[in-house]
Amino acid sequence: MRNIDVNATIDNATFTPFHWRVLFWCSLIIIFDGYDLVIYGVVLPLLMDQWGLNPYVAGLLGSSALFGMMFGAMGFGMLSDRLGRKKTILMCVVLFSGTTVLNGLVSNPWQFGILRFIAGLGIGGVMPNVVSLMSEYSPKRSRSTLVALMFSGYAVGGMMSAGLGIWIVPNYGWEIMFYLAVVPMLLLPLMIRYLPESVAFLMAQNRQEEARTLLQKVDPARQITRQDKLVVPPANVQKAPVLELFRGGRKLSTLMFWTAFFCCLLMVYALGSWLPKLMSAAGYPLGSSLMFLMVLNIGAIVGAVGGGWLADRFSLRSVLVSFFLLASASLVLLGYPHPMWQLYSLMAVAGATTIGSQILLYAYVAQYYPANIRSTALGWASGIGRNGAIVGPMLGGTLLALALPHQMNFLALAVPGAIATLAIALVGRRSARPEVSQADNKPSMAANS
């Protein structure tokens, strides 16, 4: 009989078809998640005309899903530590897919806002859980790259929304965009079959046989038998997991993570909700304005994957600091006249360094905190950050209502990037570090360097 360290087995595994399967399903869920969220920015110009919405009301309507995301991220993040990642992810998929489809049937803003809030619960709840699941199964040497690659599905979903919107919305109306959200519901049986449960959760539930089967898929060369005993390092779990985020020298870093999430999500959702309308107000036709949204999300994919690759070779902190600086600079420059190719280039840089930074922030938090509080850390960082996401659409509506010069709109959106730069620079700067006994249960060296 052997004692097999679960964390060491996953950390040192080579990439197998099982890892590809986890990456595929987690990425697919995030693609649908991104589609459902960005859809509001795509249909907003038509909704404002059809329902006679002023910018303030449109901003509040855009924030309704984000209120739901805030509660969903915190609630489902903690719930998954008790129910398991897989069950919680499937619950969230049903929630955001079903209510998004119903959004296409509404006839007034109030119905629309209520359903967007409910969809937001699922959209916000699924994010920290798929990040946790992908992090838990990724080999240590490529963890940042894989999490970033998975989360780039958010940008793919946004790009799908914008691309389909250019063709569908002017010809068939905005409702069709919401009906297309039925696809995840159709794929639910396959998700139930192929999406794995978290090994850490199975071990906590004393379901060693299931954990043994999954570990064999993670490392087929290991030849794990029923006689082998699976072991995990003692977690030293406290009764108040949220308070654990502030213990062991993590207080300053936790507050800085929350600040960075707030600022980053403010920029992401202000741009996602209002970019087509802001560009239309600046004189661009609707088709071109939606193309800007597509370029923003194309840039996000490059930023997320490229940023993850850089983070595995340098450090997440240094990459994020650089990205936030570039985000602020590109947003400031977008407010001034440029040739069209330069505008598209700046928009791609803005997407790479705002949406891309959001994706890298999830990877950073997932690596910084120990496994036993990882979902709680991700859920709370995401949930607190949702306040920024709520403020973002409201800020966009306020800027549009004030009829400020075009460059002032983008200057206002650049300020949070400067604040986020400082916040990330302060993460992990204290000398005190969380004291845990095993490498997997401590902040990664790459994350803190």
Side-chain angles (χ1 to χ4, degrees):
M1 184 180 75
R2 297 174 296 173
N3 285 339
I4 296 178
D5 188 319
V6 172
N7 294 334
T9 301
I10 294 173
D11 281 351
N12 301 317
T14 56
F15 207 74
T16 67
F18 175 80
H19 292 97
W20 278 115
R21 202 154 52 241
V22 176
L23 178 62
F24 172 79
W25 285 107
C26 287
S27 299
L28 194 64
I29 290 167
I30 288 293
I31 287 172
F32 295 134
D33 204 48
Y35 176 90
D36 283 9
L37 188 58
V38 174
I39 199 172
Y40 181 70
V42 173
V43 304
L44 177 59
L46 282 184
L47 287 182
M48 291 184 72
D49 292 338
Q50 182 174 325
W51 288 339
L53 304 177
N54 65 51
Y56 291 115
V57 173
L60 287 171
L61 205 58
S63 293
S64 59
L66 304 172
F67 274 109
M69 289 177 71
M70 176 178 67
F71 294 113
M74 291 187 290
F76 284 111
M78 291 188 292
L79 189 64
S80 73
D81 288 330
R82 293 167 175 79
L83 295 183
R85 308 278 188 261
K86 182 175 180 176
K87 277 185 184 176
T88 306
I89 289 170
L90 295 175
M91 287 168 56
C92 291
V93 169
V94 171
L95 199 59
F96 75 71
S97 180
T99 49
T100 299
V101 172
L102 292 176
N103 255 130
L105 303 172
V106 302
S107 57
N108 62 66
W110 300 110
Q111 295 172 352
F112 187 92
I114 291 169
L115 286 173
R116 287 297 287 166
F117 173 81
I118 298 171
L121 292 172
I123 294 171
V126 84
M127 286 184 181
N129 285 294
V130 291
V131 174
S132 290
L133 193 65
M134 192 72 244
S135 295
E136 288 172 26
Y137 278 115
S138 298
K140 191 172 184 178
R141 61 183 172 275
S142 57
R143 190 163 290 153
S144 293
T145 301
L146 290 173
V147 171
L149 184 62
M150 179 270 299
F151 225 121
S152 66
Y154 170 86
V156 174
M159 192 170 63
M160 284 173 52
S161 273
L164 289 171
I166 291 171
W167 170 56
I168 290 175
V169 172
N171 296 309
Y172 302 102
W174 60 267
E175 294 90 349
I176 303 296
M177 296 293 294
F178 290 91
Y179 298 152
L180 291 175
V182 74
V183 174
M185 298 282 284
L186 301 178
L187 294 176
L188 203 61
L190 293 175
M191 293 181 195
I192 293 171
R193 179 172 180 179
Y194 292 112
L195 192 69
E197 182 54 270
S198 158
V199 171
F201 176 76
L202 293 175
M203 292 297 295
Q205 297 291 309
N206 200 28
R207 292 156 63 180
Q208 284 228 355
E209 190 60 38
E210 294 174 64
R212 196 177 285 113
T213 300
L214 285 173
L215 274 185
Q216 184 64 61
K217 294 177 181 178
V218 170
D219 189 2
R222 195 69 182 260
Q223 296 299 320
I224 301 172
T225 68
R226 287 190 174 184
Q227 286 71 41
D228 295 326
K229 181 180 179 182
L230 305 184
V231 295
V232 291
N236 191 28
V237 181
Q238 303 293 323
K239 290 186 177 180
V242 177
L243 294 180
E244 280 298 293
L245 303 179
F246 296 90
R247 294 194 174 111
R250 291 187 288 257
K251 182 178 180 180
L252 178 64
S253 294
T254 294
L255 293 174
M256 291 303 100
F257 274 130
W258 290 1
T259 301
F261 263 81
F262 179 93
C263 294
C264 187
L265 289 170
L266 188 155
M267 292 189 292
V268 167
Y269 290 104
L271 288 170
S273 297
W274 285 102
L275 183 61
K277 190 65 180 177
L278 285 172
M279 300 312 284
S280 294
Y284 297 93
L286 178 61
S288 296
S289 299
L290 290 175
M291 185 60 71
F292 280 119
L293 190 59
M294 179 180 283
V295 171
L296 187 82
N297 284 281
I298 292 172
I301 297 171
V302 176
V305 177
W309 182 85
L310 289 170
D312 280 327
R313 282 146 187 82
F314 301 100
S315 75
L316 275 162
R317 180 198 286 126
S318 59
V319 172
L320 278 165
V321 167
S322 302
F323 271 32
F324 280 128
L325 285 172
L326 284 171
S328 294
S330 61
L331 287 172
V332 169
L333 292 172
L334 275 170
Y336 295 91
H338 297 284
M340 190 61 72
W341 71 269
Q342 288 184 8
L343 280 175
Y344 281 135
S345 299
L346 288 170
M347 197 65 72
V349 172
T353 54
T354 55
I355 301 173
S357 293
Q358 180 204 0
I359 293 166
L360 292 176
L361 276 173
Y362 277 99
Y364 197 176
V365 170
Q367 292 190 29
Y368 184 82
Y369 291 92
N372 61 295
I373 57 170
R374 186 172 293 144
S375 272
T376 299
L378 284 163
W380 274 80
S382 180
I384 296 296
R386 291 301 154 196
N387 289 285
I390 291 164
V391 171
M394 293 181 182
L395 176 63
T398 301
L399 292 172
L400 199 66
L402 291 174
L404 297 172
H406 188 57
Q407 62 268 26
M408 293 301 296
N409 294 328
F410 283 96
L411 179 61
L413 295 178
V415 172
I419 298 171
T421 303
L422 178 61
I424 289 300
L426 292 173
V427 168
R429 289 299 186 187
R430 287 185 59 184
S431 58
R433 299 298 176 95
E435 296 177 2
V436 285
S437 57
Q438 298 291 334
D440 183 71
N441 277 347
K442 67 182 179 182
S444 98
M445 294 304 293
N448 288 320
S449 57

